[in-house]
């Protein structure tokens, strides 16, 4: 099975590195839906869905079709997908009339190696 991977996914993820978190100026409904007509409950993969930050962070384990509700202003992500046994559908719905009205803020945490390289370069320039 071939799996499409967005370019930043290899670099993101809570396992072994920094990750991108997102905050929306709209409520978010994030659906994970099985596309197996014989078993609509079994998602066909395992997902760790992160909500909140720091001490308030909660990791929700998802193995079944589900709709995750993220209130306006709540930080969410990353979404770590593992144990993929078959394709599934993910659908995100934001409660604003346009994407621009949602003000999607990406809270990117750089890789430690990238930060070290930047610091070394800065020191060498001085």
């Amino acid at each position: 099975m071939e799996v499409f991977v967005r370019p930043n996914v290899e670099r993101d993820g809570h396992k072994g590195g920094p990750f991108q978190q997102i905050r929306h100026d709209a409520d978010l409904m994030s659906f994970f839906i099985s596309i197996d007509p014989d078993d609509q409950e079994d998602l066909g993969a395992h997902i760790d869905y992160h909500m909140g930050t720091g001490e308030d962070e909660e990791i929700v384990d998802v193995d079944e079709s589900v709709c995750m509700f993220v209130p306006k202003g709540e930080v969410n992500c990353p979404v770590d997908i593992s144990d993929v046994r078959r394709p599934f559908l993910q659908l995100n719905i934001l409660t604003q009339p346009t994407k621009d009205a949602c003000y999607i803020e990406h809270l990117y945490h750089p890789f430690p190696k990238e930060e070290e390289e930047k610091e070394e370069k800065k020191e060498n320039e001085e």
Side-chain angles (χ1 to χ4, degrees):
M1 173 189 333
E2 185 176 337
V3 178
F4 173 74
V5 178
R6 290 175 289 162
N8 67 332
V9 170
E10 292 176 10
R11 298 170 36 136
D12 294 346
H14 71 285
K15 296 180 181 177
F19 50 85
Q20 183 172 338
Q21 295 179 304
I22 302 172
R23 182 181 2 246
H24 310 95
D25 200 15
D27 292 336
L28 167 70
M29 291 170 283
S30 188
F31 293 85
F32 297 92
I33 303 168
S34 170
I35 59 172
D36 182 351
D38 297 325
D39 191 353
Q40 287 289 299
E41 286 188 27
D42 182 20
L43 186 61
H46 177 79
I47 297 173
D48 290 330
Y49 194 99
H50 293 242
M51 295 179 66
T53 59
E55 293 178 9
D56 296 331
E57 182 178 18
E58 178 182 354
I59 302 173
V60 180
D61 291 325
V62 177
D63 294 304
E64 298 177 344
S65 294
V66 69
C67 174
M68 302 292 297
F69 176 76
V70 182
K72 173 182 177 177
E74 180 77 22
V75 174
N76 65 303
C77 287
V79 177
D80 181 45
I81 301 170
S82 60
D83 189 29
V84 178
R85 298 179 305 283
R86 65 176 175 273
F88 61 90
L89 175 68
Q90 181 186 8
L91 172 68
N92 290 324
I93 299 175
L94 292 157
T95 58
Q96 289 286 1
T98 66
K99 184 178 177 181
D100 289 339
C102 295
Y103 181 68
I104 300 171
E105 178 183 9
H106 295 269
L107 309 169
Y108 180 72
H109 302 280
F111 287 99
K113 185 175 181 179
E114 288 178 0
E115 284 298 302
E116 290 172 14
E117 289 172 359
K118 285 180 187 177
E119 288 178 20
E120 286 178 17
K121 185 177 180 180
K122 187 176 179 181
E123 289 174 5
N124 291 337
E125 290 175 357
E126 295 174 353

